[in-house]
Amino acid sequence: MKSKAAPHAPFASSLNASPNLDSNTIGKRSQACYSKGILQLYNGYGDIYRRQGKYRLALDYIERAKALAEEIGDQKAMQNAFKDLSRVYAATGQYELAYEARKRYDEIRYDRLNEKQVKDNERREIMYSDRKKQYEIERQQYE
């Protein structure tokens, strides 16, 4: 019996393998690497099929990538999945779905951007505080 999911894709059996392996069998770090690897494969196949105009296959792999990204909490992969969904929906004339996917892409993108800005600001504040402390220490040494 052939796999429905990936008759055109090499390594189809590994793509259909569940990324939810027993954590006793593999460590959490290995599990995360495995899941990210499968996620990248799904995303790659989705992108290839989209570029070839095989939109049904592209949607299948993009949806898999999106589901796995949600499961492991990978916001960047979620962002990419919604961007790719938007492209496929637009190419197939499903403009409302394309618009909704693009909105989700933008929401995640701006959330990630805001998160990065907050971290950058915190880093700058720490650096400023450290410099200020270092200056104060040096000033006291010269007194």
Side-chain angles (χ1 to χ4, degrees):
M1 184 166 115
K2 287 189 176 183
S3 167
K4 174 192 167 201
H8 307 293
F11 312 111
S13 62
S14 64
L15 288 175
N16 290 324
S18 172
N20 296 321
L21 298 176
D22 182 11
S23 62
N24 294 328
T25 307
I26 2 189
K28 289 182 181 182
R29 186 174 186 152
S30 296
Q31 175 65 33
C33 290
Y34 175 80
S35 295
K36 287 203 181 250
I38 294 296
L39 177 63
Q40 290 173 350
L41 284 173
Y42 287 163
N43 187 50
Y45 282 125
D47 195 42
I48 289 167
Y49 288 133
R50 179 184 56 81
R51 290 173 190 221
Q52 292 176 344
K54 297 177 181 178
Y55 299 119
R56 187 175 303 159
L57 284 170
L59 278 175
D60 182 42
Y61 281 102
I62 294 167
E63 286 291 344
R64 289 175 186 217
K66 183 175 71 102
L68 185 53
E70 283 179 19
E71 183 178 321
I72 65 175
D74 188 329
Q75 290 297 307
K76 184 174 183 177
M78 284 287 297
Q79 178 183 339
N80 289 336
F82 279 110
K83 177 181 66 177
D84 291 342
L85 283 172
S86 176
R87 289 176 173 173
V88 171
Y89 289 143
T92 57
Q94 300 177 65
Y95 300 113
E96 286 184 31
L97 291 173
Y99 175 73
E100 292 302 318
R102 182 58 193 217
K103 274 183 19 183
R104 284 290 296 135
Y105 163 80
D106 286 337
E107 289 170 5
I108 295 169
R109 179 174 176 235
Y110 292 123
D111 285 347
R112 290 184 66 233
L113 182 62
N114 288 339
E115 197 173 288
K116 182 182 181 308
Q117 288 174 338
V118 166
K119 287 179 182 177
D120 287 346
N121 287 340
E122 288 173 352
R123 184 180 50 81
R124 285 187 198 109
E125 287 175 11
I126 290 169
M127 289 174 59
Y128 174 76
S129 176
D130 288 348
R131 285 186 196 144
K132 191 175 174 183
K133 288 176 186 175
Q134 184 63 32
Y135 174 76
E136 185 62 30
I137 290 169
E138 290 172 2
R139 190 183 65 75
Q140 288 176 0
Q141 287 175 349
Y142 289 114
E143 289 182 353

